[in-house]
Amino acid sequence: MSDATQIFSEFLGTAILVLLGDGVCAAVNLKKSKAEASGWIVIATGWATAVTIAVYASGFMGPAHLNPAVTLGMAMTGNFSWGLAVPFMLAQLTGGLVGAILVWLNYLPLWDETEDQGAILGTFATGPAVRNLAANTMTEVIGTFVLVFGLLAFGANTFTDGLNPIVVGILILAIGLSLGGPTGYAINPARDLGPRIAHQILPIKNKGTSDWGYAFVPIIGPFIGAALAAGLFMILPL
């Protein structure tokens, strides 16, 4: 595939990822939603299936990283060209922004019904259960380490054609259920930053602050986790 096609696939795939992923957060968080208060299992499952569908929808055009941290890890291990890293990351960020705007449109009548500012922000971006920026960053490092190391390990194995996206979805589900409680497991800078920008600019009643003081955590943590995973993978005796 051409570079332009691959870059577009990252935009499209990330937009679908955030549309479905933040969509399940909206379903659970917003007042008068038919899925209101259905809980963490629904959110974790929704994000896992969102990743699976997004990879299927974009993977035939490119590598379907859909995550700047994954792009970094793949470039560090020689599985991806450094020359495409920045264009991929920009496409992913833009896709995350567009996906979040589509969630806002999909749930348009429900925003005015919701007064909880935290629930509204949590529909778009991640936030800590207990605010401790060092510990929150460590949580994102650990979760993204598992993600990127898992993806690199999957690449060293052979799966039946077409099975990879399902396996990746199971990995996301495991991370969400086991490691996601402290921060909401961004494990993806584009998944958090793009929607956080959308939260900032969209005309949402009762939305409150976009919490930019926390925004570096789901950016820095995933990049560190990805770099550590790539570093360990490169020294393994494969």
Side-chain angles (χ1 to χ4, degrees), residues 123-146:
T123 294
F124 290 90
T126 61
V130 176
R131 196 179 188 92
N132 179 321
L133 297 182
N136 302 149
T137 302
M138 182 59 66
T139 295
E140 291 294 329
V141 169
I142 293 169
T144 312
F145 177 92
V146 173

Side-chain angles (χ1 to χ4, degrees), residues 18 96-106 124 198 201-202:
V18 171
L97 172 61
V98 170
I101 292 172
L102 292 174
V103 171
W104 171 67
L105 290 171
N106 189 75
F124 290 90
I201 64 176
L202 289 172

Side-chain angles (χ1 to χ4, degrees), residues 8 11 18 38 46 56 63 74-75 79 85 89 91-92 100 109 125 137-138 155 180 185 211 213 225 231 233:
F8 173 75
F11 163 79
V18 171
S38 52
Y56 274 124
M74 294 300 171
N79 292 299
M89 292 179 187
Q92 292 154 358
T137 302
M138 182 59 66
Y185 72 116
D211 195 10
F233 192 81

